[in-house]
Amino acid sequence: MRQVSHPLMLFLAFSGCPTLAQTAFITCQNGEELSRIDLAGMQETARWPLPGKPAGVAVGLDKTLFTVSPDSKMVRRLSAETGETVAQVTLEGGPIGIALDQDRGRVFVSDWYNARLWVLDSETLKVQSELPTGAAPAGIAISKDGRFLASADKDADQVSVFDADTLQPLHRSPVGSRPFGLRFDPDGRLFVGNVGSNDVSVVDAETGSVLATVPVGERPYGIAFAHGRAFVTNQYANTLSVMSLETLEHEAVIDVGEYPEGIDATAGEDLLVIANWFDNTVSIVDPQALSVLETMETCDGPRAFGRFLQGGRP
């Protein structure tokens, strides 16, 4: 395993790339704000009040934007241009994670306290149904092809996998200790960050079998993919672990900010954006050079738990 150093690099060399004309929406839990960052200009373009200690976020491809505020139990649909609340609903329980199924007009929200996922109408936020999970579901993910929906059931040490079309349960797969964040890779495998066992479980969503368990840094949280690699935020190590999607071998470590959490990749896989909760910054990483391009200040306590890049990978 090689350690990668990353001096601050000028981003201007990359500014001509059209895939960089994208926007990050960073939920800041401590400051109760939402930060909007223009990735082409490398600058914050708005900061809006967002009460209730926001954490979860889901951004669509058509200016749709959803957030979850666990303290107020509020799920909001916001305007990505003005930050105005378009719709909202209070969910009695422990809402935390969120994912958008844009093609079917659904939003899924995990209930930390009641072992379920809420299924909401993405326009009205009206509750349509509920799906049973294991104890303390946190992260939610939908596969790129739209076939599978999965939740990380932290206190059950498992993931629940559903048919995303029919919403029928398919598998409950044991993984590592205390899974929290998860995401499907481009080939449809489910990568799960286990914060208790400091590893990532790779799950076959079709069969529910665990294909591999890969050790990473201390307290892995969020996962994103770019250029044939998986990138995992390690909260306690202040790093990203890098692994090959082909071999599932650990390749490198990248130092980022303090207590990195949410991570997302641009549509063209040109950039990774990482929210660093404890130092109130966002790290912009080149996933090919494995180096930090820029570190930007943002609002207090950035979490960005979910898909937070407008125009990011589906």
Side-chain angles (χ1 to χ4, degrees):
M1 180 177 71
R2 61 192 176 96
Q3 184 81 19
V4 179
S5 61
H6 14 6
L8 188 63
M9 300 171 66
L10 291 176
F11 185 77
L12 295 177
F14 297 88
S15 61
C17 180
T19 63
L20 300 185
Q22 297 179 73
T23 306
F25 293 88
I26 308 295
T27 49
C28 293
Q29 192 165 51
N30 300 348
E32 299 191 289
E33 293 181 303
L34 180 70
S35 173
R36 185 181 68 187
I37 297 173
D38 171 26
L39 295 179
M42 285 293 106
Q43 62 180 349
E44 184 181 66
T45 56
R47 189 178 292 188
W48 299 309
L50 193 59
K53 305 294 184 183
V57 59
V59 177
L61 303 177
D62 61 351
K63 303 296 184 184
T64 49
L65 168 63
F66 302 85
T67 62
V68 179
S69 294
D71 275 25
S72 62
K73 307 180 187 298
M74 184 74 72
V75 176
R76 295 178 176 90
R77 181 183 178 195
L78 306 173
S79 166
E81 296 179 346
T82 67
E84 179 184 3
T85 298
V86 178
Q88 64 184 34
V89 63
T90 300
L91 297 176
E92 292 302 330
I96 180 169
I98 187 167
L100 170 65
D101 184 350
Q102 189 144 2
D103 290 342
R104 299 182 181 96
R106 295 168 173 164
V107 174
F108 300 94
V109 179
S110 55
D111 183 353
W112 182 263
Y113 297 135
N114 296 293
R116 62 182 172 180
L117 302 182
W118 286 285
V119 185
L120 311 181
D121 180 276
S122 62
E123 290 291 328
T124 66
L125 299 186
K126 181 178 179 180
V127 176
Q128 296 179 326
S129 60
E130 298 175 2
L131 307 178
T133 66
I140 311 171
I142 298 171
S143 61
K144 183 179 178 181
D145 61 10
R147 292 181 60 200
F148 301 108
L149 164 72
S151 69
D153 305 337
K154 180 173 175 286
D155 288 353
D157 296 338
Q158 69 173 32
V159 293
S160 294
V161 181
F162 301 85
D163 182 307
D165 186 36
T166 66
L167 303 182
Q168 292 300 305
L170 298 176
H171 314 290
R172 290 193 170 187
S173 301
V175 290
S177 174
R178 296 189 294 162
F180 200 89
L182 76 173
R183 195 163 291 178
F184 288 91
D185 81 350
D187 293 331
R189 296 174 299 182
L190 181 62
F191 282 61
V192 186
N194 303 305
V195 300
S197 50
N198 298 328
D199 52 31
V200 170
S201 299
V202 183
V203 178
D204 183 329
E206 190 88 47
T207 66
S209 61
V210 176
L211 303 173
T213 301
V214 184
V216 290
E218 191 173 5
R219 203 174 173 94
Y221 183 90
I223 303 169
F225 307 99
H227 294 286
R229 293 168 168 147
F231 296 83
V232 183
T233 55
N234 301 309
Q235 292 172 316
Y236 284 6
N238 305 328
T239 62
L240 296 183
S241 288
V242 184
M243 72 177 73
S244 165
L245 290 181
E246 181 178 358
T247 66
L248 298 181
E249 292 182 355
H250 200 281
E251 291 188 338
V253 174
I254 306 173
D255 295 323
V256 289
E258 187 178 2
Y259 217 87
E261 291 214 339
I263 182 172
D264 211 352
T266 55
E269 301 183 355
D270 302 279
L271 296 178
L272 297 167
V273 183
I274 298 96
N276 303 307
W277 187 12
F278 281 11
D279 63 6
N280 300 334
T281 63
V282 169
S283 297
I284 312 297
V285 170
D286 182 332
Q288 289 188 290
L290 302 183
S291 61
V292 175
L293 296 169
E294 189 73 73
T295 301
M296 303 177 60
E297 292 186 2
T298 186
C299 39
D300 186 14
R303 302 289 306 272
F305 182 41
R307 305 307 298 262
F308 59 85
L309 291 187
Q310 193 94 63
R313 297 189 63 82

